[in-house]
Amino acid sequence: MGGDHTITYPILQAIKGKYGPVGLVHVDAHADMSDSMLGEKIYHGSTFRRCAEEGLIDCKRVAQIGLRGSGHGLADYTLGRQMGFRCVQIEECWFKSLVPLMKEVQAQMGNGPVYISFDIDGVDPGFAPGTGTPEIAGLTSIQALEIIRGCRGLNIVGTDLVEVSPPYDKAGTTAILAANLLFEMLCVLPRVKYR
């Protein structure tokens, strides 16, 4: 569990040493594909661009889910697709279950190693207001569960949940959702026994 999305970058650098490039299930309001901000190449909005450039992720096995909101340039929305990512805009998620989508994601990920990265701003701020970059019209808490539970059976080698900001979480609802999503992530790890 982390602060901003930059933490995923060194985690994936370490994971590459053991597993090579991994598949990625990335839930977020933002693609995090910017090149730089204020002259900095490494920041929370460039994480997955850096990961792709360094070969930390298998671009054909990347699914970004819940994308919407502001960006710093056109590349924020086009570069991932050009690299082979599956980019699921939020409009494709509205008013429906994401179980069918996650069956497609399962097929895309195959048997190779997979990392789950969940930015809490992927969820609508009505459910998770405690984040520094809220974007309206996001995923519901039910859809967030469907995504995580839809990862069961994948060869998951790591997970994170980022961008929870307690000062913005006045009622504690974001922390409650984040804690439950982290629990759900533990439940879908390989070798977890179900009754």
Side-chain angles (χ1 to χ4, degrees):
M1 183 167 177
D4 80 33
H5 223 153
T6 310
I7 69 159
T8 308
Y9 179 46
I11 293 169
L12 289 176
Q13 286 176 318
I15 284 175
K16 184 183 180 189
K18 181 168 184 175
Y19 297 101
V22 296
L24 175 69
V25 177
H26 172 210
V27 181
D28 204 326
H30 312 94
D32 295 347
M33 293 292 287
S34 294
D35 187 38
S36 64
M37 173 168 278
L38 302 173
E40 295 296 326
K41 299 284 266 184
I42 299 173
Y43 80 105
H44 70 103
S46 68
T47 299
F48 297 106
R49 184 176 187 144
R50 299 288 89 84
C51 289
E53 289 171 349
E54 288 188 27
L56 308 179
I57 53 179
D58 176 355
C59 293
K60 299 293 184 211
R61 295 191 315 116
V62 173
Q64 294 184 307
I65 303 169
L67 301 177
R68 63 190 188 286
S70 57
H72 298 288
L74 188 58
D76 292 354
Y77 298 97
T78 59
L79 186 59
R81 282 189 178 91
Q82 291 168 1
M83 291 180 164
F85 295 12
R86 178 171 186 182
C87 299
V88 181
Q89 298 296 129
I90 194 63
E91 292 86 356
E92 298 173 57
C93 302
W94 287 346
F95 310 113
K96 61 182 165 185
S97 168
L98 298 186
V99 170
L101 169 66
M102 292 312 296
K103 287 181 181 173
E104 294 172 12
V105 169
Q106 285 252 355
Q108 178 189 2
M109 296 299 137
N111 296 321
V114 176
Y115 188 87
I116 302 170
S117 187
F118 199 112
D119 186 325
I120 202 68
D121 72 21
V123 178
D124 187 86
F127 298 97
T131 185
T133 52
E135 299 284 355
I136 65 162
L139 299 166
T140 67
S141 56
I142 293 169
Q143 290 173 318
L145 283 175
E146 288 178 325
I147 292 168
I148 301 303
R149 290 177 180 180
C151 291
R152 182 178 173 193
L154 293 176
N155 182 17
I156 299 165
V157 296
T159 71
D160 66 49
L161 191 142
V162 298
E163 300 284 351
V164 174
S165 180
Y168 298 123
D169 193 23
K170 301 298 183 199
T173 55
T174 310
I176 292 168
L177 177 60
N180 279 278
L181 291 174
L182 285 166
F183 173 78
E184 294 286 336
M185 287 179 190
L186 292 173
C187 291
V188 299
L189 291 175
R191 295 179 297 282
V192 169
K193 296 184 193 261
Y194 293 86
R195 295 178 189 202

